[in-house]
Amino acid sequence: MFSLLSLSGTLAAWKHRYCNGQYTTCERYRLSAAGRSVPQNLMPNGVLLKKLAAPAK
Amino acid sequence: MTYWPWWLGGVGLALAAVLHFVLTRRLLAVSGRFSTLVDRARHGEAPDDPELSHDDLLAALRAATAEQFGASASTPEPPAEPAPEPLPTAAPNDAGTSLVFFGGVALGACASAWLAGALHPEVGIGSPLFASLVGGTGRQAVVLTLGGVLVGFGTRMAGGCTSGHGLVGVSRLQKGSLLATLAFFGAGVLASLLIARFV
């Protein structure tokens, strides 16, 4: 998520809940602590970010 | 064998750290590179989505944030000026680059020993004191292997090794790196003093 850190407004809520709060529930933390590779698009709640569907015209 | 001047080692290490960053845009972290290779061997490639561009990732991030915390939390603060690219501090994740890096380390060590006329592969560290403390080559191999395992355990626990903490972290005045370097250099000095005192 390093490339997204400039979006502090968006990431602040995630940081507050997971990084500075219940970090043991963070899926990125769990994978890292288990020595697993952490996908860039994995969110702390375990959701893998996917490309959004284009809006219907 | 003639040793190179001690200060040349410092200059060489500094040049290596700077050159590593210039060439890879990553901070030098030898144990991080090694653990990355081990992780890749154990678990395969990280399942990044190759179809997800940076803009797609931002859009998906905003959507996921809105879903998790509500729409008000997903509005990014417009930066007054383009934000500088954050300095990468994570372990490098390019396995190919890591293989080239470790090949270079091995070749460099062999070239250095060859230039010094000391390229004689052997088990042990060529120290009479170490041999007198540990014993024959078999015991030396066991002790060195156990030492390597302990070093690996310690570097994973400390989040870095002598390169990541001692070279890069200390030069950036990172508190954790200063503490880690103090710990492993202090332990080394203490062990040397004890050996010199009692052996």
mmCIF file with all atom_site columns, all heavy atoms in Angstrom, chain B residues 76-98:
data_model
loop_
_atom_site.group_PDB
_atom_site.id
_atom_site.type_symbol
_atom_site.label_atom_id
_atom_site.label_alt_id
_atom_site.label_comp_id
_atom_site.label_asym_id
_atom_site.label_entity_id
_atom_site.label_seq_id
_atom_site.pdbx_PDB_ins_code
_atom_site.Cartn_x
_atom_site.Cartn_y
_atom_site.Cartn_z
_atom_site.occupancy
_atom_site.B_iso_or_equiv
_atom_site.pdbx_formal_charge
_atom_site.auth_seq_id
_atom_site.auth_comp_id
_atom_site.auth_asym_id
_atom_site.auth_atom_id
_atom_site.pdbx_PDB_model_num
ATOM 1   N N   . PRO B 1 76 ? -10.713 11.252  -0.539 1.00 0.00 ? 76 PRO B N   1
ATOM 2   C CA  . PRO B 1 76 ? -9.303  11.584  -0.330 1.00 0.00 ? 76 PRO B CA  1
ATOM 3   C C   . PRO B 1 76 ? -9.103  13.078  -0.157 1.00 0.00 ? 76 PRO B C   1
ATOM 4   O O   . PRO B 1 76 ? -9.851  13.878  -0.713 1.00 0.00 ? 76 PRO B O   1
ATOM 5   C CB  . PRO B 1 76 ? -8.642  11.086  -1.610 1.00 0.00 ? 76 PRO B CB  1
ATOM 6   C CG  . PRO B 1 76 ? -9.716  11.147  -2.636 1.00 0.00 ? 76 PRO B CG  1
ATOM 7   C CD  . PRO B 1 76 ? -10.994 10.861  -1.905 1.00 0.00 ? 76 PRO B CD  1
ATOM 8   N N   . GLU B 1 77 ? -8.104  13.453  0.605  1.00 0.00 ? 77 GLU B N   1
ATOM 9   C CA  . GLU B 1 77 ? -7.750  14.858  0.754  1.00 0.00 ? 77 GLU B CA  1
ATOM 10  C C   . GLU B 1 77 ? -6.964  15.263  -0.473 1.00 0.00 ? 77 GLU B C   1
ATOM 11  O O   . GLU B 1 77 ? -5.939  14.669  -0.783 1.00 0.00 ? 77 GLU B O   1
ATOM 12  C CB  . GLU B 1 77 ? -6.888  15.052  2.000  1.00 0.00 ? 77 GLU B CB  1
ATOM 13  C CG  . GLU B 1 77 ? -7.596  14.666  3.285  1.00 0.00 ? 77 GLU B CG  1
ATOM 14  C CD  . GLU B 1 77 ? -6.635  14.594  4.451  1.00 0.00 ? 77 GLU B CD  1
ATOM 15  O OE1 . GLU B 1 77 ? -5.418  14.760  4.214  1.00 0.00 ? 77 GLU B OE1 1
ATOM 16  O OE2 . GLU B 1 77 ? -7.097  14.381  5.567  1.00 0.00 ? 77 GLU B OE2 1
ATOM 17  N N   . PRO B 1 78 ? -7.449  16.288  -1.209 1.00 0.00 ? 78 PRO B N   1
ATOM 18  C CA  . PRO B 1 78 ? -6.695  16.692  -2.400 1.00 0.00 ? 78 PRO B CA  1
ATOM 19  C C   . PRO B 1 78 ? -5.352  17.288  -1.998 1.00 0.00 ? 78 PRO B C   1
ATOM 20  O O   . PRO B 1 78 ? -5.299  18.255  -1.231 1.00 0.00 ? 78 PRO B O   1
ATOM 21  C CB  . PRO B 1 78 ? -7.606  17.756  -3.033 1.00 0.00 ? 78 PRO B CB  1
ATOM 22  C CG  . PRO B 1 78 ? -8.474  18.234  -1.924 1.00 0.00 ? 78 PRO B CG  1
ATOM 23  C CD  . PRO B 1 78 ? -8.642  17.106  -0.977 1.00 0.00 ? 78 PRO B CD  1
ATOM 24  N N   . PRO B 1 79 ? -4.250  16.719  -2.477 1.00 0.00 ? 79 PRO B N   1
ATOM 25  C CA  . PRO B 1 79 ? -2.947  17.265  -2.096 1.00 0.00 ? 79 PRO B CA  1
ATOM 26  C C   . PRO B 1 79 ? -2.725  18.624  -2.730 1.00 0.00 ? 79 PRO B C   1
ATOM 27  O O   . PRO B 1 79 ? -3.131  18.868  -3.869 1.00 0.00 ? 79 PRO B O   1
ATOM 28  C CB  . PRO B 1 79 ? -1.967  16.220  -2.637 1.00 0.00 ? 79 PRO B CB  1
ATOM 29  C CG  . PRO B 1 79 ? -2.719  15.526  -3.725 1.00 0.00 ? 79 PRO B CG  1
ATOM 30  C CD  . PRO B 1 79 ? -4.157  15.565  -3.339 1.00 0.00 ? 79 PRO B CD  1
ATOM 31  N N   . ALA B 1 80 ? -2.096  19.537  -1.976 1.00 0.00 ? 80 ALA B N   1
ATOM 32  C CA  . ALA B 1 80 ? -1.823  20.868  -2.491 1.00 0.00 ? 80 ALA B CA  1
ATOM 33  C C   . ALA B 1 80 ? -0.825  20.798  -3.649 1.00 0.00 ? 80 ALA B C   1
ATOM 34  O O   . ALA B 1 80 ? -0.853  21.613  -4.555 1.00 0.00 ? 80 ALA B O   1
ATOM 35  C CB  . ALA B 1 80 ? -1.266  21.758  -1.382 1.00 0.00 ? 80 ALA B CB  1
ATOM 36  N N   . GLU B 1 81 ? 0.058   19.831  -3.592 1.00 0.00 ? 81 GLU B N   1
ATOM 37  C CA  . GLU B 1 81 ? 1.027   19.625  -4.654 1.00 0.00 ? 81 GLU B CA  1
ATOM 38  C C   . GLU B 1 81 ? 1.261   18.130  -4.770 1.00 0.00 ? 81 GLU B C   1
ATOM 39  O O   . GLU B 1 81 ? 0.922   17.384  -3.853 1.00 0.00 ? 81 GLU B O   1
ATOM 40  C CB  . GLU B 1 81 ? 2.327   20.356  -4.337 1.00 0.00 ? 81 GLU B CB  1
ATOM 41  C CG  . GLU B 1 81 ? 2.937   19.938  -3.015 1.00 0.00 ? 81 GLU B CG  1
ATOM 42  C CD  . GLU B 1 81 ? 4.110   20.813  -2.647 1.00 0.00 ? 81 GLU B CD  1
ATOM 43  O OE1 . GLU B 1 81 ? 4.064   22.019  -2.946 1.00 0.00 ? 81 GLU B OE1 1
ATOM 44  O OE2 . GLU B 1 81 ? 5.067   20.289  -2.078 1.00 0.00 ? 81 GLU B OE2 1
ATOM 45  N N   . PRO B 1 82 ? 1.780   17.708  -5.896 1.00 0.00 ? 82 PRO B N   1
ATOM 46  C CA  . PRO B 1 82 ? 1.994   16.263  -6.043 1.00 0.00 ? 82 PRO B CA  1
ATOM 47  C C   . PRO B 1 82 ? 2.811   15.701  -4.888 1.00 0.00 ? 82 PRO B C   1
ATOM 48  O O   . PRO B 1 82 ? 3.870   16.216  -4.548 1.00 0.00 ? 82 PRO B O   1
ATOM 49  C CB  . PRO B 1 82 ? 2.759   16.167  -7.364 1.00 0.00 ? 82 PRO B CB  1
ATOM 50  C CG  . PRO B 1 82 ? 2.397   17.399  -8.118 1.00 0.00 ? 82 PRO B CG  1
ATOM 51  C CD  . PRO B 1 82 ? 2.194   18.470  -7.070 1.00 0.00 ? 82 PRO B CD  1
ATOM 52  N N   . ALA B 1 83 ? 2.277   14.642  -4.280 1.00 0.00 ? 83 ALA B N   1
ATOM 53  C CA  . ALA B 1 83 ? 2.968   14.046  -3.144 1.00 0.00 ? 83 ALA B CA  1
ATOM 54  C C   . ALA B 1 83 ? 4.239   13.349  -3.619 1.00 0.00 ? 83 ALA B C   1
ATOM 55  O O   . ALA B 1 83 ? 4.253   12.727  -4.685 1.00 0.00 ? 83 ALA B O   1
ATOM 56  C CB  . ALA B 1 83 ? 2.056   13.036  -2.461 1.00 0.00 ? 83 ALA B CB  1
ATOM 57  N N   . PRO B 1 84 ? 5.336   13.480  -2.858 1.00 0.00 ? 84 PRO B N   1
ATOM 58  C CA  . PRO B 1 84 ? 6.565   12.800  -3.268 1.00 0.00 ? 84 PRO B CA  1
ATOM 59  C C   . PRO B 1 84 ? 6.389   11.297  -3.153 1.00 0.00 ? 84 PRO B C   1
ATOM 60  O O   . PRO B 1 84 ? 5.604   10.804  -2.342 1.00 0.00 ? 84 PRO B O   1
ATOM 61  C CB  . PRO B 1 84 ? 7.591   13.304  -2.249 1.00 0.00 ? 84 PRO B CB  1
ATOM 62  C CG  . PRO B 1 84 ? 6.789   13.713  -1.069 1.00 0.00 ? 84 PRO B CG  1
ATOM 63  C CD  . PRO B 1 84 ? 5.480   14.205  -1.601 1.00 0.00 ? 84 PRO B CD  1
ATOM 64  N N   . GLU B 1 85 ? 7.094   10.606  -3.997 1.00 0.00 ? 85 GLU B N   1
ATOM 65  C CA  . GLU B 1 85 ? 7.032   9.147   -3.958 1.00 0.00 ? 85 GLU B CA  1
ATOM 66  C C   . GLU B 1 85 ? 7.566   8.658   -2.625 1.00 0.00 ? 85 GLU B C   1
ATOM 67  O O   . GLU B 1 85 ? 8.668   9.044   -2.218 1.00 0.00 ? 85 GLU B O   1
ATOM 68  C CB  . GLU B 1 85 ? 7.874   8.568   -5.094 1.00 0.00 ? 85 GLU B CB  1
ATOM 69  C CG  . GLU B 1 85 ? 7.785   7.057   -5.185 1.00 0.00 ? 85 GLU B CG  1
ATOM 70  C CD  . GLU B 1 85 ? 8.641   6.520   -6.332 1.00 0.00 ? 85 GLU B CD  1
ATOM 71  O OE1 . GLU B 1 85 ? 9.083   7.330   -7.149 1.00 0.00 ? 85 GLU B OE1 1
ATOM 72  O OE2 . GLU B 1 85 ? 8.846   5.308   -6.382 1.00 0.00 ? 85 GLU B OE2 1
ATOM 73  N N   . PRO B 1 86 ? 6.787   7.864   -1.876 1.00 0.00 ? 86 PRO B N   1
ATOM 74  C CA  . PRO B 1 86 ? 7.263   7.417   -0.575 1.00 0.00 ? 86 PRO B CA  1
ATOM 75  C C   . PRO B 1 86 ? 8.490   6.536   -0.701 1.00 0.00 ? 86 PRO B C   1
ATOM 76  O O   . PRO B 1 86 ? 8.620   5.773   -1.657 1.00 0.00 ? 86 PRO B O   1
ATOM 77  C CB  . PRO B 1 86 ? 6.079   6.626   -0.009 1.00 0.00 ? 86 PRO B CB  1
ATOM 78  C CG  . PRO B 1 86 ? 5.284   6.235   -1.203 1.00 0.00 ? 86 PRO B CG  1
ATOM 79  C CD  . PRO B 1 86 ? 5.473   7.306   -2.211 1.00 0.00 ? 86 PRO B CD  1
ATOM 80  N N   . LEU B 1 87 ? 9.400   6.680   0.275  1.00 0.00 ? 87 LEU B N   1
ATOM 81  C CA  . LEU B 1 87 ? 10.613  5.877   0.264  1.00 0.00 ? 87 LEU B CA  1
ATOM 82  C C   . LEU B 1 87 ? 10.269  4.437   0.609  1.00 0.00 ? 87 LEU B C   1
ATOM 83  O O   . LEU B 1 87 ? 9.670   4.170   1.646  1.00 0.00 ? 87 LEU B O   1
ATOM 84  C CB  . LEU B 1 87 ? 11.587  6.429   1.304  1.00 0.00 ? 87 LEU B CB  1
ATOM 85  C CG  . LEU B 1 87 ? 13.022  5.924   1.229  1.00 0.00 ? 87 LEU B CG  1
ATOM 86  C CD1 . LEU B 1 87 ? 13.648  6.307   -0.100 1.00 0.00 ? 87 LEU B CD1 1
ATOM 87  C CD2 . LEU B 1 87 ? 13.820  6.494   2.388  1.00 0.00 ? 87 LEU B CD2 1
ATOM 88  N N   . PRO B 1 88 ? 10.582  3.496   -0.271 1.00 0.00 ? 88 PRO B N   1
ATOM 89  C CA  . PRO B 1 88 ? 10.225  2.111   0.036  1.00 0.00 ? 88 PRO B CA  1
ATOM 90  C C   . PRO B 1 88 ? 11.068  1.568   1.166  1.00 0.00 ? 88 PRO B C   1
ATOM 91  O O   . PRO B 1 88 ? 12.278  1.743   1.200  1.00 0.00 ? 88 PRO B O   1
ATOM 92  C CB  . PRO B 1 88 ? 10.536  1.383   -1.273 1.00 0.00 ? 88 PRO B CB  1
ATOM 93  C CG  . PRO B 1 88 ? 11.561  2.219   -1.947 1.00 0.00 ? 88 PRO B CG  1
ATOM 94  C CD  . PRO B 1 88 ? 11.299  3.638   -1.531 1.00 0.00 ? 88 PRO B CD  1
ATOM 95  N N   . THR B 1 89 ? 10.428  0.949   2.107  1.00 0.00 ? 89 THR B N   1
ATOM 96  C CA  . THR B 1 89 ? 11.161  0.364   3.225  1.00 0.00 ? 89 THR B CA  1
ATOM 97  C C   . THR B 1 89 ? 10.875  -1.116  3.353  1.00 0.00 ? 89 THR B C   1
ATOM 98  O O   . THR B 1 89 ? 11.488  -1.794  4.150  1.00 0.00 ? 89 THR B O   1
ATOM 99  C CB  . THR B 1 89 ? 10.774  1.034   4.550  1.00 0.00 ? 89 THR B CB  1
ATOM 100 O OG1 . THR B 1 89 ? 9.366   0.960   4.693  1.00 0.00 ? 89 THR B OG1 1
ATOM 101 C CG2 . THR B 1 89 ? 11.211  2.480   4.580  1.00 0.00 ? 89 THR B CG2 1
ATOM 102 N N   . ALA B 1 90 ? 9.936   -1.619  2.561  1.00 0.00 ? 90 ALA B N   1
ATOM 103 C CA  . ALA B 1 90 ? 9.607   -3.029  2.661  1.00 0.00 ? 90 ALA B CA  1
ATOM 104 C C   . ALA B 1 90 ? 10.685  -3.879  2.013  1.00 0.00 ? 90 ALA B C   1
ATOM 105 O O   . ALA B 1 90 ? 11.496  -3.398  1.228  1.00 0.00 ? 90 ALA B O   1
ATOM 106 C CB  . ALA B 1 90 ? 8.270   -3.301  1.980  1.00 0.00 ? 90 ALA B CB  1
ATOM 107 N N   . ALA B 1 91 ? 10.693  -5.146  2.352  1.00 0.00 ? 91 ALA B N   1
ATOM 108 C CA  . ALA B 1 91 ? 11.649  -6.054  1.742  1.00 0.00 ? 91 ALA B CA  1
ATOM 109 C C   . ALA B 1 91 ? 11.407  -6.121  0.240  1.00 0.00 ? 91 ALA B C   1
ATOM 110 O O   . ALA B 1 91 ? 10.279  -6.085  -0.223 1.00 0.00 ? 91 ALA B O   1
ATOM 111 C CB  . ALA B 1 91 ? 11.496  -7.445  2.347  1.00 0.00 ? 91 ALA B CB  1
ATOM 112 N N   . PRO B 1 92 ? 12.459  -6.166  -0.532 1.00 0.00 ? 92 PRO B N   1
ATOM 113 C CA  . PRO B 1 92 ? 12.285  -6.257  -1.973 1.00 0.00 ? 92 PRO B CA  1
ATOM 114 C C   . PRO B 1 92 ? 11.493  -7.507  -2.329 1.00 0.00 ? 92 PRO B C   1
ATOM 115 O O   . PRO B 1 92 ? 11.619  -8.538  -1.687 1.00 0.00 ? 92 PRO B O   1
ATOM 116 C CB  . PRO B 1 92 ? 13.722  -6.367  -2.490 1.00 0.00 ? 92 PRO B CB  1
ATOM 117 C CG  . PRO B 1 92 ? 14.576  -5.897  -1.380 1.00 0.00 ? 92 PRO B CG  1
ATOM 118 C CD  . PRO B 1 92 ? 13.840  -6.202  -0.126 1.00 0.00 ? 92 PRO B CD  1
ATOM 119 N N   . ASN B 1 93 ? 10.664  -7.414  -3.373 1.00 0.00 ? 93 ASN B N   1
ATOM 120 C CA  . ASN B 1 93 ? 9.825   -8.560  -3.700 1.00 0.00 ? 93 ASN B CA  1
ATOM 121 C C   . ASN B 1 93 ? 10.137  -9.139  -5.063 1.00 0.00 ? 93 ASN B C   1
ATOM 122 O O   . ASN B 1 93 ? 9.390   -9.936  -5.594 1.00 0.00 ? 93 ASN B O   1
ATOM 123 C CB  . ASN B 1 93 ? 8.348   -8.173  -3.610 1.00 0.00 ? 93 ASN B CB  1
ATOM 124 C CG  . ASN B 1 93 ? 8.044   -6.963  -4.453 1.00 0.00 ? 93 ASN B CG  1
ATOM 125 O OD1 . ASN B 1 93 ? 8.867   -6.553  -5.265 1.00 0.00 ? 93 ASN B OD1 1
ATOM 126 N ND2 . ASN B 1 93 ? 6.879   -6.395  -4.261 1.00 0.00 ? 93 ASN B ND2 1
ATOM 127 N N   . ASP B 1 94 ? 11.268  -8.718  -5.664 1.00 0.00 ? 94 ASP B N   1
ATOM 128 C CA  . ASP B 1 94 ? 11.631  -9.208  -6.976 1.00 0.00 ? 94 ASP B CA  1
ATOM 129 C C   . ASP B 1 94 ? 12.610  -10.361 -6.801 1.00 0.00 ? 94 ASP B C   1
ATOM 130 O O   . ASP B 1 94 ? 13.779  -10.165 -6.483 1.00 0.00 ? 94 ASP B O   1
ATOM 131 C CB  . ASP B 1 94 ? 12.249  -8.064  -7.780 1.00 0.00 ? 94 ASP B CB  1
ATOM 132 C CG  . ASP B 1 94 ? 12.617  -8.511  -9.179 1.00 0.00 ? 94 ASP B CG  1
ATOM 133 O OD1 . ASP B 1 94 ? 12.505  -9.720  -9.458 1.00 0.00 ? 94 ASP B OD1 1
ATOM 134 O OD2 . ASP B 1 94 ? 13.005  -7.658  -9.985 1.00 0.00 ? 94 ASP B OD2 1
ATOM 135 N N   . ALA B 1 95 ? 12.126  -11.581 -7.029 1.00 0.00 ? 95 ALA B N   1
ATOM 136 C CA  . ALA B 1 95 ? 12.964  -12.762 -6.792 1.00 0.00 ? 95 ALA B CA  1
ATOM 137 C C   . ALA B 1 95 ? 14.149  -12.800 -7.756 1.00 0.00 ? 95 ALA B C   1
ATOM 138 O O   . ALA B 1 95 ? 15.259  -13.189 -7.362 1.00 0.00 ? 95 ALA B O   1
ATOM 139 C CB  . ALA B 1 95 ? 12.120  -14.024 -6.916 1.00 0.00 ? 95 ALA B CB  1
ATOM 140 N N   . GLY B 1 96 ? 13.932  -12.401 -9.016 1.00 0.00 ? 96 GLY B N   1
ATOM 141 C CA  . GLY B 1 96 ? 15.029  -12.412 -9.984 1.00 0.00 ? 96 GLY B CA  1
ATOM 142 C C   . GLY B 1 96 ? 16.159  -11.490 -9.574 1.00 0.00 ? 96 GLY B C   1
ATOM 143 O O   . GLY B 1 96 ? 17.342  -11.858 -9.638 1.00 0.00 ? 96 GLY B O   1
ATOM 144 N N   . THR B 1 97 ? 15.812  -10.279 -9.144 1.00 0.00 ? 97 THR B N   1
ATOM 145 C CA  . THR B 1 97 ? 16.827  -9.339  -8.685 1.00 0.00 ? 97 THR B CA  1
ATOM 146 C C   . THR B 1 97 ? 17.566  -9.884  -7.473 1.00 0.00 ? 97 THR B C   1
ATOM 147 O O   . THR B 1 97 ? 18.780  -9.701  -7.332 1.00 0.00 ? 97 THR B O   1
ATOM 148 C CB  . THR B 1 97 ? 16.172  -7.992  -8.335 1.00 0.00 ? 97 THR B CB  1
ATOM 149 O OG1 . THR B 1 97 ? 15.392  -7.549  -9.430 1.00 0.00 ? 97 THR B OG1 1
ATOM 150 C CG2 . THR B 1 97 ? 17.226  -6.945  -8.018 1.00 0.00 ? 97 THR B CG2 1
ATOM 151 N N   . SER B 1 98 ? 16.828  -10.571 -6.598 1.00 0.00 ? 98 SER B N   1
ATOM 152 C CA  . SER B 1 98 ? 17.465  -11.132 -5.402 1.00 0.00 ? 98 SER B CA  1
ATOM 153 C C   . SER B 1 98 ? 18.475  -12.211 -5.782 1.00 0.00 ? 98 SER B C   1
ATOM 154 O O   . SER B 1 98 ? 19.557  -12.293 -5.186 1.00 0.00 ? 98 SER B O   1
ATOM 155 C CB  . SER B 1 98 ? 16.400  -11.717 -4.468 1.00 0.00 ? 98 SER B CB  1
ATOM 156 O OG  . SER B 1 98 ? 15.572  -10.690 -3.964 1.00 0.00 ? 98 SER B OG  1
#
